[in-house]
Amino acid sequence: VHGAKGREEKDSLVTKIQEAVDEYDNVFVFSLQQFRQTHMKELRAILNDSRFFMGNNKVMQVALGRTVEETYAPGLYKLSPFLTGFSGLLMSNRGKKEIKKFFKLYEAPEYARMNDEAPIDFTVPAGPLPSEQFPVTTDPFLRGLGLSTRIDRGTIVVTSPCYVCRRGETLSAAASKVLELFGKKTVLFKVTLTAHWEKSTGLARRIQQEVVAGDAEE
């Protein structure tokens, strides 16, 4: 039953992607950095006249076609090699230049997660913590994360500097939680466009990543 359901879901994704190819003029492949569901939801709301697809890369490749013989539309199969890693598809009637400009400007700061590479050096300094952010009830939790603390007249006091991470280290669960508690949004949720297909011409092209600021089209 599980296998049949999985096959059904894959077939459904293929069908939905192909229906969207019929409906929209442009297909983009994108890669994701620091994926967060909340930001994807926001993107879908902003670009509500377009459609995002994310799923198994091989299934998305099947939908587009992997060879000239399999291709769902002329030239579309040339996008399939770009569906690697954490990737997805965006279907839109907005022009390539507009979509590129949008994603060049769109990024959202986020908290690093366990097993991410630490992007900064961080040590919690000794001293009192703001009571509105760290009420005394959080003291056991902070101690569990490795902080040395005491309570002084209703305020949590860090008694000695607490080393959390050094840039380049792999973050532990405790270190990532401490960075979050202290408001250190040190990574970026970012969508990078990697390739584009245009229905009117059947042309598929890699999207070059611009090294310097500017709106120039490659």
Side-chain angles (χ1 to χ4, degrees), residues 9-24:
E9 288 174 351
K10 290 176 182 177
D11 290 345
S12 174
L13 179 60
V14 168
T15 299
K16 288 175 181 176
I17 288 172
Q18 292 178 344
E19 287 174 350
V21 171
D22 293 338
E23 183 179 349
Y24 294 98

Side-chain angles (χ1 to χ4, degrees), residues 147-206:
L147 274 69
S148 175
T149 62
R150 63 182 171 83
I151 296 175
D152 182 17
R153 289 176 291 182
T155 298
I156 297 175
V157 178
V158 179
T159 57
S160 59
C162 176
Y163 165 81
V164 178
C165 62
R166 185 172 289 111
R167 182 192 293 269
E169 291 180 345
T170 300
L171 287 176
S172 65
S176 62
K177 191 63 185 176
V178 171
L179 288 174
E180 181 179 345
L181 287 172
F182 285 85
K184 301 298 180 182
K185 289 189 174 183
T186 54
V187 296
L188 287 175
F189 168 88
K190 183 79 178 166
V191 175
T192 302
L193 299 174
T194 57
H196 166 251
W197 174 83
E198 184 178 48
K199 182 185 290 181
S200 62
T201 62
L203 291 176
R205 292 191 177 97
R206 177 191 301 271

Side-chain angles (χ1 to χ4, degrees), residues 3 6 11 27 30 45 50 60 66 69 79 101 111 113 117 130 136-137 151 159 166 171 189 192-194 202:
D11 290 345
V27 180
F30 61 85
S50 306
M60 292 191 288
R66 293 165 293 188
E69 292 80 20
L79 292 186
K101 185 174 182 180
Y111 297 111
R113 288 176 167 173
E117 184 178 294
V136 292
T137 52
I151 296 175
T159 57
R166 185 172 289 111
L171 287 176
F189 168 88
T192 302
L193 299 174
T194 57

Side-chain angles (χ1 to χ4, degrees), residues 1-11:
V1 177
H2 180 74
K5 184 179 179 183
R7 179 74 259 170
E8 195 175 296
E9 288 174 351
K10 290 176 182 177
D11 290 345

Side-chain angles (χ1 to χ4, degrees), residues 61-75:
Q61 288 172 351
V62 168
L64 302 180
R66 293 165 293 188
T67 65
V68 66
E69 292 80 20
E70 293 177 359
T71 194
Y72 182 71

Side-chain angles (χ1 to χ4, degrees), residues 81-132:
F82 294 94
L83 286 165
T84 60
F86 208 167
S87 298
L89 295 169
L90 169 64
M91 317 283 187
S92 184
N93 286 328
R94 301 192 189 201
K96 178 183 177 184
K97 192 170 184 178
E98 180 185 353
I99 292 292
K100 277 187 66 181
K101 185 174 182 180
F102 174 81
F103 282 111
K104 184 179 176 183
L105 297 174
Y106 184 90
E107 58 186 29
E110 262 302 336
Y111 297 111
R113 288 176 167 173
M114 181 177 68
N115 295 327
D116 282 346
E117 184 178 294
I120 61 170
D121 298 340
F122 185 63
T123 297
V124 178
L129 298 178
S131 299
E132 62 276 8

